Amino acid sequence: MSKPVKKAVGKMAKKAYDHAPEPVKDKLKEKAKETFVNGVEDGLQSKANEASQKLENAKEKNADNVHTKAEEAKEKVQDVLLSVREKLGKAKEAGEEFQEKISASNDNGTKIKGVGKIKGASDIKSSFNIKSSTEIKSSENIKSSKDIKTICS
């Protein structure tokens, strides 16, 4: 309806209401109240349904995002753990090589002496182990070329 028509219908309804008997006015009031309540209820219900649907959509979207982010984080953590594992493996190998080099140098008797190479008190010579003047070799004990054994003889 156009605006002037609505205005005219509204004025007519008001005049009819003013001239109507009391029982009709009460019924009109009840009917208007019922119509208003139904309209409000329908409006509120539709708004509540709409809000509920929006919340449901947002919930689903957030759940998808959370799962996606969790998968990405899991992959990143696994990559970091693998790289740490590789680095630890390299460090272990380097440590083993270093330990082998130190052990080899101890075996050759060069540089650092190990615990096994240190002499104890029992290794120190006593007065009994010292050679006397009679045990020292003289020029007579020196071998000559005649004393050397050859393969032929």
Side-chain angles (χ1 to χ4, degrees):
M1 274 198 240
S2 66
K3 204 170 190 178
V5 173
K6 279 186 181 181
K7 205 173 193 181
V9 171
K11 283 183 182 180
M12 282 180 26
K14 188 172 183 178
K15 290 251 183 195
Y17 178 77
D18 290 342
H19 297 293
E22 276 305 309
V24 173
K25 284 184 179 180
D26 290 339
K27 285 207 176 209
L28 281 175
K29 282 182 186 177
E30 284 182 30
K31 191 71 168 170
K33 181 180 174 184
E34 187 178 305
T35 305
F36 177 75
V37 168
N38 287 341
V40 170
E41 282 180 354
D42 290 343
L44 289 176
Q45 187 65 38
S46 67
K47 294 283 184 183
N49 289 340
E50 188 178 313
S52 174
Q53 188 63 36
K54 285 182 181 179
L55 284 174
E56 186 68 28
N57 291 342
K59 180 181 171 185
E60 289 174 6
K61 185 177 178 181
N62 286 340
D64 290 342
N65 286 342
V66 165
H67 288 297
T68 304
K69 295 291 182 185
E71 285 295 321
E72 290 174 6
K74 180 182 174 183
E75 289 174 8
K76 285 181 182 179
V77 167
Q78 285 180 342
D79 290 343
V80 168
L81 288 175
L82 285 174
S83 67
V84 167
R85 183 178 182 187
E86 290 173 4
K87 289 178 183 178
L88 285 176
K90 289 177 184 177
K92 181 182 174 186
E93 289 174 10
E96 288 173 352
E97 288 176 15
F98 180 70
Q99 201 167 14
E100 287 174 11
K101 287 179 182 177
I102 288 179
S103 297
S105 68
N106 284 346
D107 292 342
N108 295 339
T110 57
K111 296 185 180 180
I112 303 171
K113 289 188 176 182
V115 175
K117 303 288 182 181
I118 299 174
K119 292 185 177 182
S122 61
D123 295 326
I124 299 173
K125 291 185 176 180
S126 65
S127 59
F128 298 114
N129 296 345
I130 299 174
K131 292 183 178 179
S132 67
S133 59
T134 57
E135 294 172 338
I136 298 174
K137 294 182 178 179
S138 64
S139 59
E140 298 169 358
N141 296 344
I142 297 175
K143 294 183 178 179
S144 66
S145 58
K146 296 175 191 174
D147 295 331
I148 299 174
K149 295 181 180 176
T150 60
I151 298 175
C152 301
S153 57

